[in-house]
């Protein structure tokens, strides 16, 4: 850039660039290197919402990037737990850096743990939320305390701390299905009631660190035999409802989307019917098309496909006939973890 351009304007231009050229531009001048390496610039760049977003598809030992898809970086590429040292790995594929975080709790006989991850949009600080709760078969009436525990880890502090205020009701159970939208982490959850369960969504606000309940419409909340999971469709919260079509006996998935963030206001967009076996919606493209895994139970193999809701047709991608399940991880290009040594432990 010309020396005649004020440096603050240069900074504003540089901040809009993707990660790969930024890493190259560190060699242009000492001023640019100092700027790009600063924690203030990394935070500002991460908070910018015009950077390319991608999906990673993982199966067996292969990792393939789908560059035309949209999502937000889930964070831990994998969460490994062992009896001696439970850990979570935070990985940024843009800068190829990772951080290993020791998890505070162990899963024991009467408890189960759910984990959530997100980056606070205000502070650009990655956060891990660990929820420890009693298993569903534990008698709620016999317990008086410690039915719901929550801890939050922030990368900036490198420490875990307890969340003691605004904890959910002791009858609520959170599942592993989670998604991040803006400042909220969402999980599928349910109320353990006397006669039946009541489905809902639990949210965690990364800015004020409060838990909140998102109520579902009756047709979703009262389906006790239906498998539900949450997802992100463009920038909205989506609910995936799995069931079996009574007429065709095929496995189907109905996609519901929350309207403008209004609780109990979910609109059914379309229903996907598996051509054979079963299927799972993994993520959504930026076009709104779902990427799905179609399983052939007889052949014990899986195909990766995209569903065209307009044509009501499933189009297989090039990755087909895999014997193991697929996993799709969304991420957004960011400089987070750039200044840390790879595989550092906290």
């Amino acid at each position: 850039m010309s020396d005649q351009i004020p440096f603050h304007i240069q900074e504003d231009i540089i901040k809009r660039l993707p990660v790969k050229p930024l890493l190259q531009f560190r060699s242009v001048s000492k001023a640019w290197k100092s700027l790009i390496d600063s924690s203030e610039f990394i935070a500002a760049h991460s908070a910018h919402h015009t950077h390319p977003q991608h999906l990673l598809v993982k199966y067996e030992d292969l990792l393939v990037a789908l560059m035309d898809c949209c999502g937000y970086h889930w964070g831990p590429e994998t969460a490994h737990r062992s009896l001696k040292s439970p850990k979570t790995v935070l990985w940024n594929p843009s800068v190829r850096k990772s951080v290993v975080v020791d998890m505070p709790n162990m899963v024991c006989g009467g408890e189960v743990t759910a984990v959530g991850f997100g980056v606070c949009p205000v502070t650009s600080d990655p956060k891990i939320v660990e929820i420890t709760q009693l298993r569903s078969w534990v008698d709620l009436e016999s317990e008086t305390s410690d039915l719901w525990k929550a801890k939050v880890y922030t990368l900036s502090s490198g420490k875990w701390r307890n969340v003691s205020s605004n904890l959910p009701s002791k009858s609520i159970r959170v599942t592993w299905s989670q998604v991040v939208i803006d400042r909220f982490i969402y999980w599928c959850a349910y109320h353990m009631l006397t006669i039946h369960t009541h489905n809902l969504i639990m949210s965690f606000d990364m800015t004020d660190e409060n838990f909140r309940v998102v109520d579902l419409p009756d047709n979703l909340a009262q389906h006790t035999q239906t498998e539900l999971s949450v997802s992100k469709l463009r920038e909205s919260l989506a609910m995936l409802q799995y069931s079996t079509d009574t007429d065709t006996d095929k496995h189907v998935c109905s996609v519901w989307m929350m309207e403008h963030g209004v609780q109990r206001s979910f609109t059914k967009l379309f229903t996907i019917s598996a051509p054979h076996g079963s299927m799972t919606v993994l993520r959504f493209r930026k076009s709104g098309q779902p990427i799905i895994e179609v399983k052939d139970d007889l052949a014990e193999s899986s195909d990766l496909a995209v569903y065209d809701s307009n044509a009501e047709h499933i189009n297989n991608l090039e990755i087909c006939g895999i014997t193991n399940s697929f996993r799709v991880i969304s991420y957004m290009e960011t400089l987070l973890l750039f200044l840390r040594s790879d595989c550092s432990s906290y």
Side-chain angles (χ1 to χ4, degrees), residues 192-210:
M192 289 294 299
L193 303 177
T194 304
I195 301 177
H196 57 80
T197 58
H198 183 84
N199 302 312
L200 52 92
I201 295 174
M202 177 64 64
S203 71
F204 178 78
D205 190 331
M206 288 182 285
T207 59
D208 61 18
E209 298 189 350
N210 280 323

Side-chain angles (χ1 to χ4, degrees), residues 292-305:
I292 64 176
E293 176 186 11
V294 181
K295 295 183 178 180
D296 188 332
D297 298 330
L298 295 178
E300 297 183 348
S301 64
S302 299
D303 296 335
L304 193 66

Side-chain angles (χ1 to χ4, degrees), residues 221-252:
Q222 297 177 3
H223 274 280
T224 57
Q225 301 301 318
T226 300
E227 182 182 356
L228 300 177
S229 64
V230 288
S231 189
K232 179 180 180 180
L233 177 52
R234 297 187 179 93
E235 295 302 318
S236 297
L237 178 64
M239 176 66 74
L240 307 176
Q241 177 191 20
Y242 295 95
S243 59
T244 300
D245 190 301
T246 55
D247 296 328
T248 63
D249 202 33
K250 287 187 175 182
H251 190 233
V252 298

Side-chain angles (χ1 to χ4, degrees), residues 168-169 172 191 200-203 211-216 263:
S169 165
I172 291 180
H191 264 299
L200 52 92
I201 295 174
M202 177 64 64
S203 71
F211 290 95
R212 295 178 177 87
V213 170
V214 179
D215 292 319
L216 294 171
Q263 290 195 32

Side-chain angles (χ1 to χ4, degrees), residues 287-336:
S287 63
Q289 294 178 324
I291 299 175
I292 64 176
E293 176 186 11
V294 181
K295 295 183 178 180
D296 188 332
D297 298 330
L298 295 178
E300 297 183 348
S301 64
S302 299
D303 296 335
L304 193 66
V306 174
Y307 178 73
D308 186 339
S309 58
N310 294 323
E312 298 183 352
H313 182 71
I314 295 176
N315 302 305
N316 282 349
L317 298 177
E318 295 181 359
I319 313 173
C320 297
I322 304 302
T323 55
N324 290 338
S325 296
F326 291 95
R327 184 183 177 191
V328 177
I329 307 163
S330 59
Y331 75 97
M332 185 177 70
E333 289 193 1
T334 173
L335 288 169
L336 291 175

Side-chain angles (χ1 to χ4, degrees), residues 35-55:
L35 170 67
I36 296 171
D37 289 356
S38 67
S39 58
E40 294 79 11
F41 179 86
I42 292 175
H45 181 268
S46 300
H48 210 271
H49 297 292
T50 61
H51 305 310
Q53 301 182 46
H54 312 284
L55 292 180

